[in-house]
Amino acid sequence: MPSRILKKRSLIPGQTSELTLEAPHIAAKAKPGNFVILRVCENGERIPLTIADTDKDAGTITIVYLVLGKTTAHLETLKEGDEILDLCGPLGKDTDIHKHAGPVICVGGGTGIAAMHHIAKGHHTVGNHVIAIIGARNKDLLLFEAELKRFCPEVLVSTDDGSYGHKGLVTELLEERLKADPSVAEVVAVGPVPMMAAVARTTKPFGVKTVVSLNSIMVDGIGMCGACRVSVGGKTQFACVDGPEFDGQLVDFKELSSRLSAFKTMEQISYEKFRSGHVCTCGK
Amino acid sequence: MSAPAENSSKKAKTPRTPMPEQPAAQRVTNFTEVALGYTAELAAKEAARCIQCKKPLCVKGCPVEINIPGFIKKLAEGDLEGSYKVIRDTNSLPAVCGRVCPQETQCEGSCILGKKGEPVAIGRLERYVADTFMASDACEQLTGAHACAMEREGLKVACIGAGPASLTVAGYLSALGIKVHVYEALHEVGGVLVYGIPEFRLPKAIVRKEIDAMRAQGVEFHTNWVGGKTVTVPDLFEQGFNAVFIGVGAGLPRFLRVPGENFIGVFSANEYLTRVNLGRAYDFPNHDTPAYTGRNVAVFGAGNVAMDAARTAKRLGAERVMIVYRRTENEMPARLEELHHAKEEGIELMCLNAPVTFEADEKGWLKSITVQKMRLGEPDDSGRCSPIACEGEFCDIPCDMAIIAVGTGSNPLMAQTTPGLALNKWGYITVDEETGETSIPNVFAGGDIVTGAATVISAMGAGRRAAKEIAKRLLA
């Protein structure tokens, strides 16, 4: 069924926005770690997006996207009151959230911070001490800092150019924090593949459980097509029904990033066609 | 045998009426239907071949027990409407079945004329009758009345999944005035009929018309509702449904478990066909979903899905498409007609070869596969001769795309959220064979989620059994 956009908030102008969607049947079931598959218009492609927040009482879910290709560019043209043609979910396994004795560190990079937010909130809800470590290229590209501060006693920030917080990588902050505090119970990382791989490398010597949320290519998202397969501990797993979260120490990140590039050329063709004005006529 | 022996033997000697088809050279350039369908003359000619057995074996060969001699008799007499009604009595999707059923192993496989000559082309006749009536009023077709069946107050049944099994349940029960709600995870209704079977074998317009007929009969379809996620069995009973039918279809594709099969360019047939059929990737970039276009394509497996994938790759511009199979042509599970069509279209059969490894270039893109020669040994559990590896006999096949079509496993989503649902060791739902009822009272299941990957018609047979039982209970 179509889903109406109740609220649109531009997070990084022209690049990243947050949509609050009317979807009571999804909001009723959605848990941290879940995602949705959406299709913007009749000729559109199905794409997966992580649920960044839910409000059961209001019957809404929140998604955050980065304009990367045709579908997200089309999403960016939609306004409050417009409808998304198909919204399907919640999909994927729920994050394993339970009370830990020690703190949980949630690491987020780029748009992944939004997805990480829902997981961090879940950990906070069961009473865990949540430390957020977030990073972006520069201050203007940093997301969800204020939202995380609402429930995280510590929010550590890094930027590549040093325009805000620590100058450098999130993994440097993570390593420092792990060295200082041996009681950390778990690390969760959501962001670009190289970041998640680096987080897994960083936590390895500390032996801390490390969960990563994988952004594989998906088509149906319901356990039918196998497009989202990833190698985990040498075994083929499916991000849509076995994941999207897996043990970061066991994921073959090299294979994942190679598979993510499979349709690059064609995605570019779609995007160029859209930008050159051949706008899908079913859009608003 | 009812008919005089003389007559039967004469009719057996009359050859089957050929099906008009798009020429192979033309059809590999498009996605329009290969088989064009009988004309009225051809249908009449073929219908006249039926000898009207008193104890028709063909009916026993049909999973939904269509009164085959009955519909052919009416057709031969020129009563097309009557003929259609006979089919509709037991089959909710005749235009689909006339196209995709494996008739040679079912109705036609049991036809007595086949003993001495060629069986009656039952599937082609069914298709002709169904297609003729496609355009007419849906309610009248289904119920024989201008108005649809009156809804029976308070009776409602939910179907999870909108493939052939559920559609059969919906068609059957709604004709009796029972309200049916169908919940489908994808954005389009039809299940494998729309995501799996290509347009050139089963046009989506045909599926849509059959579904529109059900809508006209009061069936409500809810798309983007995932069984086991958005909607669960306990939810449905809470909402007052009297019975639930689970027809969620096939699950995750099986892979070959050989090194390198996650390289770029290696697809499951499910992914490839879903991109092309559901995503209309054959019309990229007018439709956004992309599909890969390989130059040299290797397809593993030799069932209908493998044939569909191979023929699709050819249509998308592949220069060379090979079916790589461990056994020989004799053991191939595909419908004979599909194998025949594939060969006509230039699909190469590379029999007695099993994959060993996939190799890629430095960027992770598939560039070749290594296969090992096989020979046939003694029959195995499946009754087919088992393939045995020939030691040391390997061969490299250059290819930039591979499609794996070796079957599917069970989908875990329903089991995860339906407390008390009994499964077998492979994760398929166990049911009472007579009624289709699961371990949970008034929850029924059928199709691939019960049997593993099978045919459209066997899923419909299961749907029909369950629907009969549901109707019996609700209308008692």
Side-chain angles (χ1 to χ4, degrees):
Chain A
M1 72 170 64
S3 181
R4 189 172 300 282
I5 300 171
L6 298 179
K7 207 176 127 204
K8 178 172 181 174
R9 181 162 72 113
S10 177
L11 302 177
I12 304 167
Q15 191 190 315
T16 298
S17 293
E18 176 194 89
L19 302 179
T20 305
L21 304 171
E22 183 176 35
H25 56 296
I26 299 178
K29 305 265 173 167
K31 296 266 169 54
N34 294 158
F35 62 94
V36 290
I37 292 242
L38 59 81
R39 200 172 68 123
V40 183
C41 66
E42 198 53 56
N43 292 0
E45 187 178 10
R46 297 167 65 88
I47 64 156
L49 286 172
T50 309
I51 298 172
D53 209 352
T54 57
D55 186 335
K56 275 190 186 44
D57 300 331
T60 61
I61 65 162
T62 303
I63 54 168
V64 172
Y65 58 85
L66 166 70
V67 176
L68 257 185
K70 195 253 156 171
T71 306
T72 42
H74 190 184
L75 261 182
E76 185 60 10
T77 66
L78 301 185
K79 301 180 293 291
E80 287 178 1
D82 287 348
E83 281 184 342
I84 290 171
L85 183 62
D86 295 299
L87 184 71
C88 172
L91 300 167
K93 278 191 175 162
D94 310 341
T95 306
D96 175 17
I97 291 176
H98 54 270
K99 178 81 178 87
H100 288 289
V104 172
I105 302 182
C106 295
V107 187
T111 321
I113 303 170
M116 178 274 262
H117 166 263
H118 201 202
I119 299 170
K121 201 173 162 186
H123 276 290
H124 164 74
T125 308
V126 299
N128 286 327
H129 176 96
V130 183
I131 302 161
I133 302 180
I134 54 177
R137 273 183 288 129
N138 61 56
K139 184 173 189 277
D140 296 336
L141 302 178
L142 199 70
L143 305 178
F144 273 68
E145 187 191 3
E147 286 82 350
L148 287 162
K149 276 190 170 157
R150 277 180 212 151
F151 57 82
C152 295
E154 297 170 67
V155 178
L156 312 175
V157 178
S158 75
T159 50
D160 291 2
D161 65 355
S163 52
Y164 186 50
H166 168 78
K167 181 178 193 293
L169 302 170
V170 284
T171 44
E172 292 159 9
L173 292 174
L174 174 64
E175 191 170 17
E176 245 173 63
R177 197 63 184 70
L178 288 170
K179 274 183 184 158
D181 185 358
S183 74
V184 171
E186 189 177 322
V187 172
V188 181
V190 192
V193 176
M195 188 210 88
M196 291 191 287
V199 166
R201 275 196 306 275
T202 306
T203 58
K204 196 169 186 192
F206 296 92
V208 184
K209 183 188 172 195
T210 305
V211 176
V212 292
S213 177
L214 305 185
N215 53 332
S216 320
I217 291 177
M218 289 183 190
V219 182
D220 62 281
I222 51 168
M224 194 260 288
C225 85
C228 63
R229 64 195 191 273
V230 285
S231 294
V232 181
K235 275 194 191 143
T236 293
Q237 298 266 290
F238 301 93
C240 72
V241 292
D242 299 322
E245 290 168 17
F246 295 99
D247 181 341
Q249 302 305 343
L250 301 178
V251 171
D252 183 340
F253 288 105
K254 191 169 165 242
E255 181 188 280
L256 175 66
S257 73
S258 157
R259 287 186 62 81
L260 283 170
S261 71
F263 291 96
K264 276 246 159 80
T265 318
M266 301 183 90
E267 282 159 6
Q268 200 59 34
I269 293 170
S270 274
Y271 193 18
E272 290 303 324
K273 182 171 178 279
F274 181 76
R275 291 206 309 187
S276 66
H278 296 277
V279 179
C280 170
T281 49
C282 50
K284 298 280 159 70
Chain B
M1 270 307 310
S2 60
E6 206 183 344
N7 183 19
S8 127
S9 116
K10 204 176 97 196
K11 287 195 174 182
K13 279 178 196 150
T14 316
R16 267 155 81 97
T17 313
M19 175 64 109
E21 285 172 356
Q22 266 198 80
Q26 178 195 323
R27 70 191 191 228
V28 294
T29 65
N30 66 52
F31 274 82
T32 51
E33 203 169 6
V34 168
L36 302 172
Y38 277 162
T39 58
E41 292 71 34
L42 294 174
K45 193 174 155 201
E46 184 62 19
R49 290 182 64 229
C50 175
I51 58 170
Q52 294 292 319
C53 305
K54 274 239 172 70
K55 286 181 186 163
L57 297 173
C58 51
V59 180
K60 285 202 182 113
C62 171
V64 297
E65 299 170 318
I66 296 175
N67 175 0
I68 294 164
F71 99 77
I72 297 180
K73 183 160 186 278
K74 294 233 186 281
L75 173 59
E77 289 165 1
D79 177 10
L80 265 168
E81 200 174 334
S83 178
Y84 186 73
K85 279 186 181 140
V86 173
I87 298 176
R88 277 318 283 242
D89 273 345
T90 63
N91 188 344
S92 314
L93 300 166
V96 172
C97 289
R99 287 171 166 84
V100 303
C101 274
Q103 289 103 1
E104 76 257 18
T105 60
Q106 296 179 335
C107 53
E108 294 176 16
S110 317
C111 175
I112 202 81
L113 289 193
K115 301 263 187 272
K116 290 178 189 165
E118 291 182 298
V120 175
I122 300 165
R124 294 171 184 176
L125 293 177
E126 181 185 21
R127 170 182 162 160
Y128 171 75
V129 175
D131 284 1
T132 306
F133 276 84
M134 271 290 176
S136 68
D137 176 66
C139 288
E140 198 175 353
Q141 281 174 32
L142 289 160
T143 62
H146 284 293
C148 284
M150 285 289 285
E151 245 177 65
R152 291 171 200 257
E153 204 60 37
L155 294 185
K156 57 175 186 173
V157 172
C159 295
I160 303 181
S166 283
L167 291 177
T168 301
V169 174
Y172 189 100
L173 295 179
S174 61
L176 296 171
I178 295 168
K179 185 75 186 174
V180 182
H181 287 259
V182 181
Y183 296 90
E184 166 58 43
L186 294 174
H187 59 260
E188 226 171 289
V189 177
V192 71
L193 307 177
V194 297
Y195 77 74
I197 303 177
E199 192 77 11
F200 56 80
R201 201 148 77 77
L202 177 66
K204 275 177 273 289
I206 298 284
V207 180
R208 212 171 295 130
K209 279 180 181 164
E210 303 266 34
I211 286 163
D212 284 345
M214 285 182 204
R215 260 198 203 104
Q217 205 170 242
V219 177
E220 276 185 47
F221 291 97
H222 308 267
T223 50
N224 300 308
W225 282 73
V226 188
K229 290 299 223 176
T230 330
V231 63
T232 66
V233 170
D235 292 343
L236 291 166
F237 282 121
E238 225 165 83
Q239 289 165 32
F241 280 94
N242 302 93
V244 176
F245 178 81
I246 303 171
V248 293
L252 287 159
R254 291 218 173 85
F255 286 89
L256 299 166
R257 299 186 180 203
V258 302
E261 68 182 343
N262 289 344
F263 285 137
I264 304 174
V266 184
F267 296 91
S268 75
N270 271 2
E271 177 184 353
Y272 188 65
L273 291 171
T274 303
R275 284 180 177 279
V276 178
N277 298 327
L278 184 74
R280 319 287 199 264
Y282 54 80
D283 189 30
F284 180 87
N286 293 319
H287 283 77
D288 298 339
T289 307
Y292 219 65
T293 310
R295 272 174 62 201
N296 294 299
V297 180
V299 179
F300 294 89
N304 289 328
V305 175
M307 297 300 154
D308 286 345
R311 297 169 70 196
T312 297
K314 191 85 185 177
R315 281 162 174 76
L316 287 179
E319 285 165 21
R320 183 181 188 204
V321 183
M322 302 154 270
I323 297 265
V324 183
Y325 185 50
R326 296 187 304 163
R327 297 182 167 97
T328 71
E329 201 177 323
N330 294 329
E331 286 82 28
M332 288 189 174
R335 279 180 82 202
L336 272 183
E337 187 170 325
E338 308 315 330
L339 176 60
H340 171 73
H341 280 155
K343 283 161 75 178
E344 278 182 348
E345 288 165 15
I347 310 295
E348 291 173 46
L349 303 184
M350 295 191 60
C351 294
L352 294 169
N353 283 294
V356 183
T357 54
F358 290 19
E359 289 90 26
D361 65 15
E362 64 288 347
K363 285 181 176 162
W365 296 63
L366 180 70
K367 63 172 187 185
S368 69
I369 51 175
T370 304
V371 295
Q372 182 166 23
K373 270 266 155 273
M374 308 296 277
R375 61 187 169 80
L376 287 187
E378 295 298 309
D380 61 16
D381 294 345
S382 73
R384 301 175 298 178
C385 291
S386 57
I388 300 170
C390 301
E391 195 132 340
E393 289 185 53
F394 297 96
C395 159
D396 281 345
I397 306 170
C399 72
D400 53 351
M401 179 167 143
I403 301 171
I404 320 280
V406 294
T408 53
S410 55
N411 192 308
L413 295 184
M414 287 311 301
Q416 284 168 3
T417 56
T418 316
L421 187 67
L423 308 176
N424 68 14
K425 63 176 171 176
W426 298 285
Y428 295 111
I429 299 174
T430 49
V431 298
D432 178 320
E433 277 185 27
E434 295 290 309
T435 61
E437 191 170 27
T438 66
S439 54
I440 305 171
N442 294 320
V443 176
F444 297 78
D448 285 2
I449 191 61
V450 170
T451 57
T455 59
V456 167
I457 190 73
S458 67
M460 291 178 61
R464 187 170 166 75
R465 275 193 298 283
K468 270 184 175 171
E469 180 65 24
I470 295 171
K472 199 172 94 190
R473 291 188 194 179
L474 295 192
L475 305 177

